[in-house]
Every structure is written in C-alpha cells, then in structure tokens.
Amino acid sequence: MNQLTRELLDGPGPLLLVPDAVLLPEGPAEGFAVVVADGSFQAVGPVEELRRTHPHLDGVRLSGQLLMPGFVDAHHHLTQSFGSALAFGEPSEIFRRVWVPLEGALDEESAYNAAKLAALEALRGGFTTVADAGTRAAVDVDVVAAAARDAGIRCVLGLVCDDASVTDASTTDAEDRGSAVLAEAEEHLARYDGDPLVHSSLAVSIPEAATSATLRRVARLAAEAGATVQIHVNEHLAAVERSLLRHGLRPLEYLHHIGALGSQLLAAHATLLTPRELSLLADTGTAVSYNPVASAWKGNAVAPAVTMAERGIRFGLGTDGTRGDGFRLAEAAEFAQRITYGLATGDSSCGAGWTWLEAATRGGADAVGLRARTGAIAEGLAADFLVVDVTNPELALSWDVPWELVRRGNRDQITAVFVAGRMRLWRGLPTTWDGPALVRRAVELAHEAVERAPITRVHPTSTAARARSTAP
C-alpha cells in the first residue's frame, strides 16, 4: 500500500484512482475506481474490472479517501471579493451602496487579483466550477476569464448586457445602446469556443436594467448558443414593488410576459416567489440559483427550495460571493429550509441530505448549463472532482455518507481538488502558482480600492457596535 503523496496524483499521464469509495449520482459505491485521462473520466467502475481493462496503469490507492464530484457555485461575483467582508447584516439591495461603487474603483490589476482571489477561495472550498454573473468593473471581461483560467477553476463567465437605467427603462439612450449591447453579446458568446475552462454566458443585473427588447433578444441569443442568461430575480422587496408599479407584474411574471423565461435562464436568488411564479418556473424549465447564505446575510427571504425540488424545478446552490466553502453552503441550504419551512411543518427530513448534495453538484451543473460537461463522476464527463479525507472525527463513523457530507463536511477535509483532470489544489494550496503571494497582493489592492470607492454601509464594525451598545 502506497502512502498518498502529491507526486502520486500530479503526474502527466492517465491515472487509475482507487479510493475507499466513489460518490456516484445514485450514492457512494465502495470497491469502485476511476480512470482519468485527457481531462475526463475515461472509465468508472469496479476496481478489478478497471484493473483488467487498463493493465498498463498502476493504480493509486487513495486509502481513507472518498472521491466525489466537485461543487458547482451557481451564482458568484468574482470581482467583488475585496468587499465580501462588508456585506454582513447590511439591508437589502446592497449592490447600490457597496458592489457598484467597489467594482467601479477596480482597475485591471485589482480586478484580476480580486477574481483570482475569489477563485482561490472557491477551490479551497471544493468548488470546481463557478458561475460569474458579470463584472461592473470597467475592464475587459477577459481579465476575469484570465484570472479563472490561471487559478485553474472552471468558469461560466457572464457578460453584463444592461442597456437601461434602473429609474427609466425606456430612455432614448437605452434604445440607442441596445444594438451595441447585443453585438457585444454575440461576440462574447463566440469568444471562448473551445476553451477548456471558460464558458460564455450572458447576464442582466436585474430585469429593469434592460429594455424589454434587449431582454427578449438576449434570451434568444443564449438559447440559440446553448448558453445561460443570468439575472437577479425576485430577490428584494424593493425590486418587486418597483416592477409592480412599472409593469403591474412581479419581476418573474414580467420576464414570462415578454418571453424571456426558459431553459436558458438562470434566475439568481428567486427568494420572493408566489405559487403562480413557482408554476412559471416549472412550466418553462427555468433554472434557479438558491443562495441561502446570501439570504441570511443580506436578503429579504429564503427561496422555497424544498418546494422547488418537489415541483421538479431545476436549481443549484450559489454563494453570491459570501464564502467559498461548498460543504458549508450545502449545510446552509438544508438548515435554511429547516428553519423557514421544516420546523413549522414538522418536516424532520427537509430534503434528506441528498437533495442538497445533488443541488451542489449535478443540479448546479445543470442550472449553469454544463450538465453534459461536469457535475458527476461518470464516464465521459470532465474530471472535476475532490479527494476527501474520511478518516477524521467528523466523517470516520459513517452511517449515511451523503447526509454526513452535508452536515459534518468541511473544506479542511479536502485532500486534493482536480479540474479538467489536473490537480489544482493540494491540501489547501495551489499546485502551480503561489497562493499566499496572491493573498498578500490582494490585501494591498483591496485596501486601496475600498478607500477610493464611495461605499456606504449602514452598520458599523462589530467592535464599534459593541461599544455603542454598552455606552451609558
């Protein structure tokens, strides 16, 4: 039996990996192995069968390890990482007071470093894919693509296609800009054809940020290209009320009215849904990014994900840039449902663990348009996976692996992270670049960006809040 070392997993050729168990879509399978070659799973099956069919490969025994799919973050903002710690407990629509000013203060170097920092945090948390909903920084979106590619993470990269003012979606300026926006969208959709890690997507900040004509055409462009359109939908009460005043329809209803719903749409948040809107999602095949941590930190409500699962609505899990830890995200997804729905109804299962693990992997890949590419351990899919230590106190006494991964898993248990068949992280550190050096530079740039950005926060720091609360 070999001792597991980085060198055993970091070779250039095909790998036959023999863990204690492989987490398949139907559950954990002991006595299984995988063959990784040319960036994909060439074979998945019983150990002896793979040894027989691949006699030229020396199996790498992953003793005490589980091989599982990498997590998929269905909603992220990579260039917002410098302000992640500014979002705690802030009132809704924080984008107006924090994100727009912060991203507006980024230059090319700081945008690149912010995106790569977010990618590093995501990899450390077991994410092998992130869906970026578009940057507001005044830089070429390829800066974000380069950061993701250099970090080694798979990225569904959104291009913001806003062409209207939030206060007036029918101005002449917006109409004039529509053609230019759509031309840029077409170019972006073709820009990353054949890229092994970067996949094009379109984005609209919120429905009112684009004209109805642009929303329809962006949806059609994405559908024709097999790409996604990412839109923040029904996230905050203020946005719902503005839509009712302007259109007489809630945001999701309005998108349906103009023909923008469909399998190409990824609705971020979708926390404030009526029964009719749930039916619209189910009937049109629209996908949702359920972002439970974002709801807790800065939202109005929690998306009804248990109901979505029961209705067959497609959904994945997203961080919204809050914290890049796939295990904690899955746990938050279950916990939020238990607090908001389970306790009131006596539902002690609330998805039975597997629902949230599925949403964090294969469901997320489906939601971001990559179901045929990643999200599961299966022959022909990209070899995006985690090697997880199951000998620790939290996981060693295993009775129900999927539920335990949701409730007791954490990123410290991740031994290695693979994306497209290459090891990108070993015990929390990048294998081909200097992670600590990036963090040091990001700290410098973040302080500079935050200082020059006109950010407005409602709450003081926790230390200041404590002093205020104890003052006579």
Side-chain angles (χ1 to χ4, degrees), residues 129 144 162 165 182 352 416:
T129 298
V144 181
D162 298 355
S165 164
L182 291 166

Side-chain angles (χ1 to χ4, degrees), residues 76-95:
H76 205 315
H77 296 272
L78 295 176
T79 56
Q80 292 180 1
S81 65
F82 287 177
S84 294
L86 298 174
F88 305 121
E90 287 292 299
S92 68
E93 294 207 322
I94 190 176
F95 72 91

